[in-house]
């Protein structure tokens, strides 16, 4: 099972044999632990170590997806007490804005590398605050994607659903054919006892919310022109509850695991997951187009619900020279064209060499250029961590108790208090 990597730094001496200088280290945090994420991270690190073979890299690996335990280790035991790492995985947008007090502006790196000309403005606007840049984006992920096994859909002679009504029709047809419908890992995120249920619940909910509200309605939730206890949010909660009823039963484990879809033992036909799933399905031996297909999450075909992983430069980074080197690698064409094909994401840079990318990535690059871009809540772009974490907890409680009206009212109260 993925994500059960020990909560311990992995130390890799980049240059075997040589005894690196004590201070010639790079220490960074990230939460990439699934097969595709690790494959991508290794490619990113390989670009860095090829350039700086004498630097010892310490990668603090945490379990699961965007579990709040990363925040405990990184903030309570690090940034908040003046012991920052050299860098850490950070979402652009509201999540970066919330961390500005811990970060150094890096306009000099943007200037020296010409990044203002290679990242799209929609990304740049979420890395720049009060006139300065504070983080370097490595990718763009799409949150609202439905993944499906080609053989399962062929068995019932259906195309992927474009609406939730079609989804539930297909689900019932699969059940009637003795098939498993849907991957969902309800397990408590064992790495974070405060996280009532796995983050995948909150991740899926944002696509259902978008399908009910549409782009304007979604944006209205955060500019406060729409309330969270509106009929559309209630309808989305009801769909989430119904959806979870179709999940393939899986043993308790980490919050995210696609082997229930790639297994030969009654595989699940579909998953509602961000396009890191493309990297994971590929790392698990599935082939894009022949084994698995993809479609926008039902009801969200007009939208690209986006997020981006990035790396900042903390104040007081213990190895600042190597931290700056790391950021230059993260922003480089070479690293982005090595990392993203394995990650399932598309490069943040606009000058990618498309020969590195498969059919999914090329479709995502086209959609990123043509669909309406909507900021992801579950992955740190649309609203501050305070609200995002309350969203996680409230949707988690709803997963357990099914109390739709209480959940909608709690979301509205939470957003009123902490969405700004
Ligand atoms: C997101 C992150 C992705 C991937 C995903 C699942 O928040 O941006 O890179 O890690 O979680 O773990």
């Amino acid at each position: 099972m993925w994500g059960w990597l020990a909560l311990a730094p992995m130390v890799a001496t980049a240059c075997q044999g040589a005894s690196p200088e004590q201070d010639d280290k790079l220490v960074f945090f990230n939460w990439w632990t699934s097969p595709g994420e690790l494959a991508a991270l290794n490619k990113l690190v390989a670009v860095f170590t090829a350039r700086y073979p004498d630097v010892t890299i310490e990668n603090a690996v945490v379990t699961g997806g965007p579990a709040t335990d990363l925040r405990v280790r990184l903030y309570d035991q690090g940034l908040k007490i003046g012991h920052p790492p050299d860098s850490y995985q950070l979402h652009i947008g509201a999540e970066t804005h919330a961390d500005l007090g811990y970060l150094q502006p890096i306009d000099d790196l943007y200037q020296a590398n010409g990044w203002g000309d290679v990242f799209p403005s929609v990304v740049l606007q979420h890395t720049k605050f009060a006139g300065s840049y504070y983080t370097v984006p490595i990718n763009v992920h799409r949150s609202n994607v439905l993944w499906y096994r080609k053989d399962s859909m062929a068995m019932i002679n259906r195309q992927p659903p474009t609406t939730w009504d079609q989804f539930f029709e297909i689900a019932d047809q699969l059940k009637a054919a003795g098939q498993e419908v849907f991957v969902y890992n309800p397990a408590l995120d064992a790495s974070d006892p405060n996280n009532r249920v796995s983050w995948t619940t909150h991740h899926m909910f944002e696509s259902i919310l978008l399908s009910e509200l549409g782009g304007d309605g979604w944006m209205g939730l955060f500019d406060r022109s729409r309330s969270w206890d509106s009929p559309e949010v209630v309808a989305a909660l009801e769909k989430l509850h119904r959806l979870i009823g179709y999940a393939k039963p899986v043993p308790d484990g980490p919050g995210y695991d696609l082997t229930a879809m790639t297994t030969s033992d009654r595989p699940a036909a579909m998953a509602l997951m961000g396009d890191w799933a493309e990297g994971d399905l590929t790392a698990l031996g599935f082939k894009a187009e022949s084994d698995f297909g993809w479609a926008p999450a039902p009801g969200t075909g007009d939208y690209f619900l986006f997020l981006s992983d990035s790396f900042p430069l903390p104040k007081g980074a213990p190895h600042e020279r190597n931290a700056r080197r790391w950021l230059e690698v993260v922003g480089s064409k070479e690293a982005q064209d090595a990392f993203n094909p394995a990650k399932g994401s598309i490069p943040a840079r606009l000058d990618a060499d498309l020969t590195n990318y498969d059919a999914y990535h090329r479709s995502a690059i086209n959609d990123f250029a043509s669909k309406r871009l909507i900021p992801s809540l579950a992955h740190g772009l649309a609203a501050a961590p305070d609200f995002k974490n309350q969203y996680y907890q409230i949707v988690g409680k709803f997963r357990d108790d099914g109390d739709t009206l209480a959940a909608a009212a709690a979301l509205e109260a939470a957003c009123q208090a902490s969405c700004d």
Side-chain angles (χ1 to χ4, degrees):
M1 297 291 269
W2 309 330
W4 292 113
L5 294 170
L7 272 178
M10 291 190 319
V11 179
T13 304
C15 179
Q16 296 307 330
S19 57
E21 294 161 40
Q22 275 313 311
D23 68 344
D24 204 8
K25 289 177 71 170
L26 174 75
V27 180
F28 73 95
F29 269 68
N30 75 96
W31 61 66
W32 292 318
T33 57
S34 69
E37 292 168 342
L38 283 175
L41 178 62
N42 289 337
K43 290 189 181 288
L44 171 59
V45 168
V47 173
F48 181 87
T49 48
R51 294 188 189 184
Y52 308 106
D54 295 336
V55 175
T56 300
I57 294 182
E58 193 170 309
N59 167 14
V61 177
V62 294
T63 60
T68 52
D69 70 309
L70 169 67
R71 316 197 79 76
V72 171
R73 292 189 63 204
L74 181 60
Y75 292 89
D76 301 351
Q77 300 161 7
L79 295 168
K80 286 180 182 174
I81 58 172
H83 294 314
D86 292 310
S87 192
Y88 60 99
Q89 180 186 342
L90 180 67
H91 288 121
I92 68 171
E95 197 168 286
T96 297
H97 183 255
D99 276 13
L100 289 185
Y102 304 123
L103 305 181
Q104 299 185 49
I106 47 173
D107 301 299
D108 56 335
L109 286 177
Y110 268 72
Q111 186 68 35
N113 293 280
W115 287 333
D117 302 324
V118 292
F119 296 142
S121 56
V122 70
V123 169
L124 290 170
Q125 76 184 65
H126 293 294
T127 60
K128 191 171 196 177
F129 302 92
S132 283
Y133 290 110
Y134 281 89
T135 195
V136 183
I138 191 166
N139 65 4
V140 171
H141 267 305
R142 186 176 194 172
S143 172
N144 61 313
V145 188
L146 182 78
W147 307 93
Y148 60 93
R149 285 181 64 109
K150 286 293 188 83
D151 57 1
S152 301
M153 285 299 170
M155 183 187 298
I156 57 169
N157 193 24
R158 289 298 295 256
Q159 291 302 312
T162 57
T163 67
W164 282 106
D165 286 346
Q166 287 175 11
F167 177 94
F168 291 120
E169 269 173 31
I170 286 168
D172 290 336
Q173 277 184 270
L174 287 165
K175 291 295 263 187
Q179 300 300 308
E180 291 292 351
V181 175
F182 179 70
V183 179
Y184 170 63
N185 306 89
L188 281 174
D189 186 332
S191 70
D192 174 29
N194 299 319
N195 193 359
R196 290 177 52 78
V197 291
S198 69
W199 57 270
T200 54
T201 317
H202 333 96
H203 163 82
M204 296 193 304
F205 186 49
E206 74 171 3
S207 279
I208 303 173
L209 263 177
L210 180 58
S211 73
E212 288 293 332
L213 286 158
D216 292 341
W218 174 270
M219 300 308 286
L221 290 177
F222 303 102
D223 70 24
R224 312 304 296 123
S225 60
R226 296 295 290 269
S227 77
W228 282 86
D229 53 9
S230 64
E232 293 82 1
V233 175
V234 169
L237 286 163
E238 286 163 353
K239 280 192 174 59
L240 175 67
H241 201 65
R242 186 178 176 194
L243 173 66
I244 290 174
Y246 285 96
K248 172 181 163 81
V250 291
D252 268 8
Y256 167 58
D257 171 8
L258 287 188
T259 52
M261 190 169 166
T262 57
T263 178
S264 55
D265 166 26
R266 293 173 56 80
M270 295 182 279
L272 180 59
M273 191 44 64
D275 52 13
W276 44 90
E278 202 272 353
D280 288 324
L281 290 171
T282 302
L284 286 165
F286 261 30
K287 299 263 180 294
E289 294 190 289
S290 51
D291 295 320
F292 68 91
W294 57 87
T300 69
D302 294 336
Y303 307 108
F304 192 113
L305 189 56
F306 82 104
L307 58 125
S308 168
D309 296 305
S310 67
F311 286 89
L313 177 63
K315 292 172 183 168
H319 315 92
E320 179 150 337
R321 181 185 62 165
N322 289 333
R324 288 177 174 277
R325 287 166 163 178
W326 174 251
L327 298 186
E328 290 198 299
V329 166
V330 163
S332 71
K333 178 173 164 36
E334 180 191 8
Q336 297 209 1
D337 281 346
F339 173 84
N340 286 291
K343 187 68 172 66
S345 41
I346 61 176
R349 293 178 66 110
L350 293 168
D351 57 353
D353 175 355
L354 293 187
T355 58
N356 295 298
Y357 297 88
D358 72 10
Y360 172 72
H361 293 96
R362 290 196 292 276
S363 74
I365 287 170
N366 289 337
D367 284 357
F368 186 65
S370 59
K371 303 290 185 183
R372 181 175 175 183
L373 303 181
I374 299 290
S376 164
L377 166 62
H379 304 281
L381 214 162
D386 281 357
F387 174 68
K388 189 199 79 168
N389 291 332
Q390 290 182 72
Y391 164 81
Y392 273 37
Q393 299 301 331
I394 292 165
V395 173
K397 182 173 183 303
F398 169 72
R399 198 292 305 271
D400 289 341
D401 67 22
D403 189 336
T404 312
L405 297 181
L411 287 166
E412 173 59 15
C415 193
Q416 279 184 13
S418 57
C419 262
D420 302 326

